[in-house]
Amino acid sequence: MKYQAIVSDLDGTLLNGEHRFSDKTKKVIKEVKDRVKKIFIATGRHHLDALELKKQLGLDSYLISSNGAIIHNENNEIVYERDMEEDVVKKILEKKCSKDISRHIYTDNNWYIEEELEEFKSFHQESGFSYTVEDFDKVDYSKVIKIFFISKNFKELEALEKEIENEFGDRISLTLSGEECLEIMAHSVCKGEAIKSVMERLEIPLESVIAFGDGLNDYEMLKEVGKGLIMENASVRLKDRLPNNEIIGKNTEDGVAEYLERKFLEIE
């Protein structure tokens, strides 16, 4: 199979344990790109965050962000955007959460949280994108791209996931992207659908696409493409749902770069 496109998640996949691109990753991505392989980012991150990371890699391709709620073209222009329904946002944010859960909102131009949380800044120091502390009652709910809840209490997040799914199931997409993060978007929003849309625009068959991921928000993407590769550090739930997919190295050991180097750069 001659692969025409490469798609990668960021956190836990292309970014290392410090949420940065290693020198090796940057080098391999450039070399693979120079061999006329299209490389795309598909991430749960906000587009203002992801656009900066895309620039660091020197990519001139489409960008999928907020798990597929926003798609930018090669010129960094929005070609697709799907916001959540305003009344759904309001009702979800009215739900009682314990103090162990931090609530987050992505709008078209901002990332809002309710109190200063220094721990989240390290995830985004590479791009310079950061949160704004704001009273959620003052946020414009008509511009919400994604809501997410973060907690180290997995059982509590799992219970919240079931509650929200039971109440809004046909009006939202939701995923426990990791053991500590529950993400909620508009109905039918996911990386898999976004990948299909982008590849259709570019007339690239899905079977000629390789994708890399580590979380349940990557599930549809890894299932849809010709070769979906799972990181060794991926969530157990992702591995269980895709038992026949190949597992590669850890993100902390340049797993994606190592695979791409073997697949596309080694002299035969």
Side-chain angles (χ1 to χ4, degrees):
M1 167 63 70
K2 183 179 180 181
Y3 292 104
Q4 300 179 47
I6 298 159
V7 185
S8 183
D9 170 52
L10 288 175
D11 293 289
T13 304
L14 202 59
L15 292 168
N16 62 21
E18 286 71 51
H19 311 288
R20 297 178 181 275
F21 297 119
S22 70
D23 290 340
K24 180 180 180 69
T25 291
K26 290 178 181 177
K27 177 176 179 293
V28 170
I29 290 293
K30 182 181 185 306
E31 290 177 358
V32 172
K33 174 179 171 287
D34 289 346
R35 294 197 180 191
V36 202
K37 299 295 178 188
K38 288 186 175 292
I39 301 177
F40 304 84
I41 289 171
T43 179
R45 289 189 179 218
H46 195 283
H47 58 273
L48 294 179
D49 190 4
L51 282 167
E52 287 303 313
L53 296 174
K54 174 186 166 183
K55 288 178 188 175
Q56 289 184 25
L57 293 177
L59 300 180
D60 55 359
S61 53
Y62 276 64
L63 171 70
I64 294 165
S65 59
S66 291
N67 291 326
I70 303 277
I71 301 174
H72 285 75
N73 65 14
E74 297 99 330
N75 300 315
N76 296 333
E77 301 163 333
I78 293 177
V79 294
Y80 176 85
E81 180 176 1
R82 184 153 190 187
D83 298 330
M84 295 180 67
E85 296 176 60
E86 190 171 350
D87 66 309
V88 171
V89 171
K90 184 175 185 296
K91 289 174 183 175
I92 289 175
L93 293 176
E94 285 173 351
K95 292 192 172 298
K96 300 294 183 184
C97 293
S98 79
K99 62 181 180 180
D100 295 329
I101 293 180
S102 65
R103 308 189 305 169
H104 305 246
I105 298 173
Y106 279 174
T107 64
D108 51 350
N109 290 311
N110 289 286
W111 165 22
Y112 294 112
I113 63 174
E114 296 171 287
E115 60 182 352
E116 192 76 30
L117 293 167
E118 193 69 27
E119 62 194 271
F120 295 112
K121 289 186 176 178
S122 64
F123 280 76
H124 304 272
Q125 59 187 351
E126 188 83 337
S127 68
F129 180 71
S130 190
Y131 58 71
T132 298
V133 177
E134 183 62 274
D135 180 343
F136 281 3
D137 290 336
K138 297 179 181 179
V139 174
D140 182 359
Y141 290 169
S142 69
K143 294 294 185 181
V144 172
I145 302 165
K146 184 176 84 167
I147 299 170
F148 55 111
F149 300 87
I150 295 180
S151 174
K152 296 187 184 300
N153 188 331
F154 178 73
K155 288 186 177 179
E156 192 169 21
L157 282 183
E158 198 172 33
L160 184 60
E161 176 192 30
K162 290 177 182 176
E163 181 183 347
I164 292 172
E165 187 169 30
N166 288 337
E167 188 171 348
F168 305 104
D170 60 348
R171 300 179 69 187
I172 59 167
S173 293
L174 80 169
T175 179
L176 269 166
S177 55
E179 295 294 307
E180 299 179 0
C181 185
L182 173 64
E183 302 183 82
I184 307 159
M185 294 76 59
H187 178 62
S188 79
V189 167
C190 68
K191 292 184 184 181
E193 288 300 314
I195 291 294
K196 280 197 254 183
S197 173
V198 169
M199 297 307 154
E200 187 176 326
R201 286 170 181 264
L202 299 175
E203 298 183 344
I204 297 174
L206 282 175
E207 58 266 27
S208 69
V209 179
I210 291 179
F212 301 86
D214 74 304
L216 275 181
N217 59 331
D218 299 311
Y219 168 72
E220 292 87 355
M221 173 176 77
L222 299 178
K223 184 181 177 183
E224 292 287 349
V225 300
K227 193 168 187 65
L229 296 149
I230 300 174
M231 308 303 293
E232 184 180 337
N233 52 279
S235 73
V236 174
R237 297 212 306 177
L238 179 66
K239 292 176 180 177
D240 287 346
R241 291 181 70 175
L242 294 171
N244 298 318
N245 286 50
E246 182 179 348
I247 295 175
I248 65 168
K250 298 177 181 178
N251 71 307
T252 54
E253 298 172 354
D254 295 325
V256 174
E258 291 283 350
Y259 182 91
L260 292 177
E261 191 171 49
R262 291 193 306 270
K263 185 74 177 176
F264 299 109
L265 301 180
E266 287 183 352
I267 298 173
E268 297 181 357

